[in-house]
Amino acid sequence: MPRNLNAWLDICIILLAALILAGVLTIYNLYIGIASGIVWLCLLLFARERCIRRSEGFDHYCHMVISNVNPVANYALEQLPQIILIVDQEGRLQWFNKELEKHIGIEPTYNIAVADFWPELELEPIWGRSGHIVFMHDNIHYHTIHRPVNTAQDPNGMMALYIQDASALEILKRVHADSRTTLMYIQIDNFSDVLQGLNDTEQNTLIFETNKAITDWMIQLEGFLRKISDDLYIAVMEKRNLDTALEERFDILDKVRTLQNPVRHLSVTLSIGAAVADHQNINQLGGKAYSMLEMALGRGGDQVAVLQRGKTEFYGGKTKAVEKYTRVKARIISHSIYELIQESDEVFIMGHQNEDFDSLGAALGVSRMAKYLKKPVHIILSEFNTGIAKITETFRDKEGYGDLFLPASRLINITAEKPVLFVVDTHIPHLTASPDLLERIKDVVVIDHHRRSSDFIKNTRLTYSEPATSSTSELVTELLIYFSDDLTLPRIEATALYAGILVDTKNFAVQTGVRTFDAAAYLRRCGADPVSVRQLFRSDFETEQFKAKAKAQAKMLPGGLIITVCREPLSNIQVIAAQVADSMLRIEGVRASMVIFQLTPEIVGISARSAGSINVQVIMEQFGGGGHQNVAGAQITGSDLDTVYDDVITATQLFIEENDKNESNTFTER
């Protein structure tokens, strides 16, 4: 390359200095000055000639470089081991390199559509944006980097796609994902109950068959299994083995359920908690797996809770939760609550939004505990509570209850240094009467009878959840029995608790057990008045007309599903919808009833009921709700009645088909 391309400027400066020097010499000696001028002129001509030649040499060099750039660049692009495409907005090729032909098996031409040879590569979602995607064609993974290209000829612009075969990397990712550690806890959740009434030989036989079923299942999954107690196992496997169990929808639950206590005709049931390693160490993974087991047990058992990618999934849960005949846990929880209230200086109680009789009855029972220990207590009510308006007005007229009820909007300042908050009849944060109160009070106690969902109130001081019980009022009644020997329950509060049990059991027809009637008997001894309860349940003529219209519009579908829609907005629509769902359940052949209603202009509600064979709680969880196996509901924001109506029918019928298929398989195995 020519050097000193800017020498002409330097030479001119030197020649100018030399000309000035020659002029000075001319002043002193004319002859010397003329000779210097001649020499200076020769130097000027020589320097000019040299610069012209250098400039010509540089021009020749630039011409040679430019003339070779395009062939070299084109050769590099053509031989680059990466596919490069330029496509227009219609997805047609405007330019491509030779690497493309090696991957598509045909000779590409200009203006051919990318979708003709790579239909999996969708350009519309990425058009005009920079980024990268991975698509698969013929079992080959292609990593694609896309960049927008704006040109003067095409105002819509083009896209440059840099595509490379990434199959090796994707296979490595898949192998890594499939080999992630999975920790699993397996528990026989009714171990004590299922062995009752059997002699030693029968007990050993049933335990052996259960152990064999679990061991054979784990061998099939290529996992490691160890029994750590009479009813508890721990298993370790890879993620791919868990995927096999997921595809089979944990058929071990159905297999074990075929094993029965021949005396009591009670099936063996399992609860399983599993967690897939993400970024945790083994210790943290074990904690996650055990929390999944607790969640499965809290939902009534006979099911699996799996945590992977930060999401909890549930499988099973077809059988009804078994009532525990012992009250040891109730006595322990009651004593713990006694100490907790005694340590606090103010007690707050709240239920779910749009409270019902069970929520209010349970709250009144807890308030009686606080009053017994002479602690200030307030029951926080949500904005919508028309369903309990009658009973709250009755309490406000009674002496000592004037400041007991407090609207959530009026709870501005909490001056207590050590307050405690009781949440009854719900465990889902956003469904509470005042969700922000959970952040303002540190000590939280949850008392609930609904099956536990993945969205649970975090960091509770104490949790008492019994899905087998009829109602939260029943749980609180048992706590009152053990709270103190000299605690006296006023008649009006006993009536409220009795009403709560009566509502959730549908007059002792649903989800009742021995403990339910024991709690009701205790309340009757305290003065609970069934006549007053019937007065609370009475409705006006317009409401009865509305319910009759809703039932008349109901649609009976295959599989035993009956569904209707309540389009008219009413102040107590949630209560009415529940009553309609209950009444439709009494129709011959109905296995599940659903009522869709407009709760608010933005929220659509669902009230679901089951005759026992369909787990409506699992169905409602698909819509963000929950509840019990036989009684559940959901609230959906951002949708309309007709859309929810269609979605509920689809989800319920799919569940019924799958449920009937599994029951048929289980019967065949027997």
Side-chain angles (χ1 to χ4, degrees):
M1 175 179 175
R3 298 177 180 274
N4 302 324
L5 297 179
N6 60 345
W8 173 245
L9 178 63
D10 298 336
I11 292 173
C12 289
I13 294 174
I14 295 172
L15 289 176
L16 179 62
L19 180 61
I20 294 173
L21 181 61
V24 172
L25 291 176
T26 303
I27 295 174
Y28 292 99
N29 190 317
L30 180 62
Y31 297 105
I32 295 176
I34 293 173
S36 299
I38 294 172
V39 172
W40 180 86
L41 184 61
C42 292
L43 288 174
L44 174 64
L45 295 175
F46 176 77
R48 182 174 180 277
E49 182 66 20
R50 290 288 296 169
C51 286
I52 290 173
R53 289 186 178 182
R54 283 176 177 270
S55 178
E56 291 175 352
F58 179 72
D59 290 341
H60 176 72
Y61 173 79
C62 291
H63 176 75
M64 291 297 296
V65 170
I66 293 173
S67 63
N68 289 326
V69 163
N70 286 336
V72 172
N74 290 335
Y75 178 81
L77 290 175
E78 293 291 346
Q79 301 302 321
L80 188 70
Q82 183 183 47
I83 304 169
I84 303 178
L85 309 179
I86 304 294
V87 298
D88 60 17
Q89 197 169 18
E90 296 180 356
R92 297 186 177 277
L93 290 180
Q94 300 302 310
W95 186 88
F96 54 89
N97 62 353
K98 290 184 177 180
E99 190 70 15
L100 175 63
E101 184 176 351
K102 299 178 183 179
H103 289 267
I104 65 175
I106 60 173
E107 183 177 355
T109 59
Y110 290 101
N111 282 325
I112 186 175
V114 175
D116 291 346
F117 51 86
W118 279 336
E120 298 84 1
L121 178 56
E122 298 182 4
L123 297 176
E124 185 177 352
I126 64 173
W127 190 263
R129 295 186 297 173
S130 297
H132 63 90
I133 59 171
V134 176
F135 71 94
M136 188 173 70
H137 178 76
D138 290 342
N139 294 322
I140 300 177
H141 293 82
Y142 292 98
H143 181 263
T144 304
I145 300 175
H146 50 90
R147 298 283 186 271
V149 178
N150 296 320
T151 62
Q153 294 80 7
D154 189 350
N156 295 322
M158 297 185 181
M159 287 287 286
L161 306 177
Y162 307 90
I163 305 172
Q164 194 166 10
D165 185 349
S167 297
L169 178 60
E170 292 299 322
I171 291 173
L172 183 61
K173 288 181 179 179
R174 175 64 61 86
V175 170
H176 170 70
D178 289 345
S179 62
R180 282 184 297 171
T181 303
T182 300
L183 198 61
M184 183 182 294
Y185 281 96
I186 306 170
Q187 184 171 2
I188 306 174
D189 51 41
N190 61 347
F191 184 80
S192 300
D193 295 329
V194 81
L195 296 180
Q196 285 184 6
L198 302 180
N199 58 41
D200 291 344
T201 302
E202 291 171 333
Q203 287 184 2
N204 292 333
T205 300
L206 187 58
I207 293 173
F208 171 78
E209 291 177 349
T210 304
N211 289 338
K212 185 177 184 303
I214 297 173
T215 302
D216 291 345
W217 178 63
M218 193 54 58
I219 291 174
Q220 179 186 348
L221 293 178
E222 301 177 351
F224 174 82
L225 178 72
R226 277 295 177 268
K227 188 175 183 178
I228 57 180
S229 67
D230 290 340
D231 62 344
L232 188 62
Y233 306 77
I234 189 169
V236 181
M237 65 185 69
E238 292 184 341
K239 170 67 167 53
R240 61 184 179 86
N241 307 124
L242 177 65
D243 289 339
T244 302
L246 293 175
E247 290 174 1
E248 298 171 350
R249 302 194 69 80
F250 287 93
D251 58 352
I252 184 63
L253 299 178
D254 298 324
K255 293 177 181 178
V256 170
R257 206 180 297 118
T258 61
L259 305 175
Q260 283 192 342
N261 178 321
V263 177
R264 302 180 60 198
H265 301 288
L266 182 65
S267 297
V268 178
T269 56
L270 298 180
S271 290
I272 301 176
V276 180
D278 193 1
H279 301 292
Q280 313 99 328
N281 55 40
I282 294 297
N283 182 46
Q284 293 171 333
L285 184 63
K288 292 290 186 182
Y290 194 77
S291 67
M292 290 297 101
L293 175 62
E294 290 181 329
M295 185 172 292
L297 291 169
R299 291 165 55 86
D302 187 35
Q303 58 190 283
V304 184
V306 180
L307 177 65
Q308 56 178 336
R309 297 185 297 273
K311 183 180 178 181
T312 304
E313 300 171 350
F314 300 101
Y315 300 87
K318 300 173 184 176
T319 60
K320 184 178 178 181
V322 179
E323 181 186 28
K324 303 296 188 296
Y325 292 97
T326 175
R327 293 192 180 90
V328 174
K329 185 176 181 180
R331 176 173 53 82
I332 295 173
I333 294 292
S334 181
H335 291 170
S336 299
I337 291 175
Y338 187 101
E339 295 175 358
L340 190 60
I341 294 177
Q342 203 168 35
E343 293 173 1
S344 66
D345 50 11
E346 190 168 4
V347 178
F348 295 92
I349 311 164
M350 68 176 176
H352 51 74
Q353 297 175 13
N354 203 347
E355 294 84 353
D356 56 14
F357 286 101
D358 185 33
S359 175
L360 183 65
L364 286 166
V366 175
S367 71
R368 177 48 51 188
M369 300 178 193
K371 289 180 178 179
Y372 175 80
L373 294 176
K374 296 180 172 54
K375 301 292 183 179
V377 58
H378 296 285
I379 297 177
I380 312 303
L381 298 179
S382 64
E383 182 179 354
F384 302 100
N385 50 51
T386 54
I388 58 171
K390 286 184 180 180
I391 193 169
T392 53
E393 290 299 325
T394 302
F395 272 95
R396 287 193 175 98
D397 295 336
K398 299 289 184 180
E399 184 179 354
Y401 296 96
D403 58 348
L404 178 62
F405 301 105
L406 187 65
S409 57
R410 287 179 52 191
L411 188 62
I412 300 174
N413 296 321
I414 299 177
T415 57
E417 294 182 0
K418 198 173 182 182
V420 62
L421 173 64
F422 284 82
V423 178
V424 296
D425 205 32
T426 186
H427 59 263
I428 302 176
H430 70 272
L431 293 183
T432 58
S434 180
D436 65 318
L437 202 57
L438 297 170
E439 304 294 333
R440 299 167 63 184
I441 298 180
K442 179 181 179 182
D443 293 332
V444 179
V445 179
V446 175
I447 305 175
D448 190 21
H449 74 117
H450 295 103
R451 291 195 176 198
R452 185 168 176 173
S453 68
S454 57
D455 189 9
F456 195 87
I457 297 173
K458 298 179 180 178
N459 303 322
T460 58
R461 180 76 177 271
L462 186 65
T463 299
Y464 186 31
S465 177
E466 288 286 348
T469 57
S470 67
S471 58
T472 308
S473 293
E474 178 186 329
L475 290 177
V476 173
T477 300
E478 289 186 344
L479 295 176
L480 287 167
I481 294 173
Y482 293 106
F483 193 78
S484 178
D485 293 336
D486 56 349
L487 183 147
T488 301
L489 188 64
R491 180 176 181 177
I492 189 172
E493 294 179 11
T495 301
L497 284 162
Y498 188 83
I501 296 176
L502 211 61
V503 166
D504 274 24
T505 60
K506 318 304 175 194
N507 290 318
F508 299 105
V510 178
Q511 195 80 10
T512 54
V514 174
R515 290 168 60 177
T516 306
F517 290 103
D518 287 345
Y522 169 79
L523 295 174
R524 289 287 283 122
R525 289 194 298 270
C526 292
D529 185 8
V531 176
S532 299
V533 173
R534 284 199 299 270
Q535 294 291 331
L536 292 172
F537 293 165
R538 295 180 69 180
S539 58
D540 55 32
F541 179 70
E542 289 75 13
T543 301
E544 290 300 320
Q545 279 186 315
F546 183 86
K547 290 191 288 186
K549 181 180 178 182
K551 287 187 285 186
Q553 295 174 345
K555 185 177 181 181
M556 189 73 177
L557 299 173
L561 170 64
I562 187 170
I563 186 169
T564 188
V565 178
C566 298
R567 299 183 181 277
E568 294 82 357
L570 296 178
S571 58
N572 58 341
I573 184 62
Q574 194 167 11
V575 176
I576 295 174
Q579 293 172 351
V580 172
D582 290 333
S583 62
M584 290 195 303
L585 204 60
R586 293 193 288 268
I587 299 174
E588 185 71 28
V590 171
R591 301 167 66 191
S593 62
M594 304 279 179
V595 178
I596 317 299
F597 58 94
Q598 194 76 50
L599 182 60
T600 68
E602 298 81 20
I603 301 175
V604 175
I606 309 172
S607 187
R609 299 293 184 269
S610 169
S613 61
I614 306 299
N615 191 335
V616 290
Q617 182 217 2
V618 175
I619 300 172
M620 288 300 100
E621 283 180 343
Q622 300 180 36
F623 299 93
H628 262 294
Q629 179 173 351
N630 298 331
V631 180
Q635 296 179 7
I636 304 170
T637 305
S639 188
D640 58 85
L641 283 170
D642 294 328
T643 301
V644 175
Y645 179 86
D646 294 336
D647 293 343
V648 168
I649 291 177
T650 302
T652 306
Q653 290 189 323
L654 285 175
F655 182 88
I656 292 174
E657 291 175 5
E658 182 181 344
N659 183 74
D660 292 346
K661 179 181 178 181
N662 291 336
E663 285 186 356
S664 176
N665 292 340
T666 303
F667 181 78
T668 302
E669 290 177 4
R670 292 181 184 178

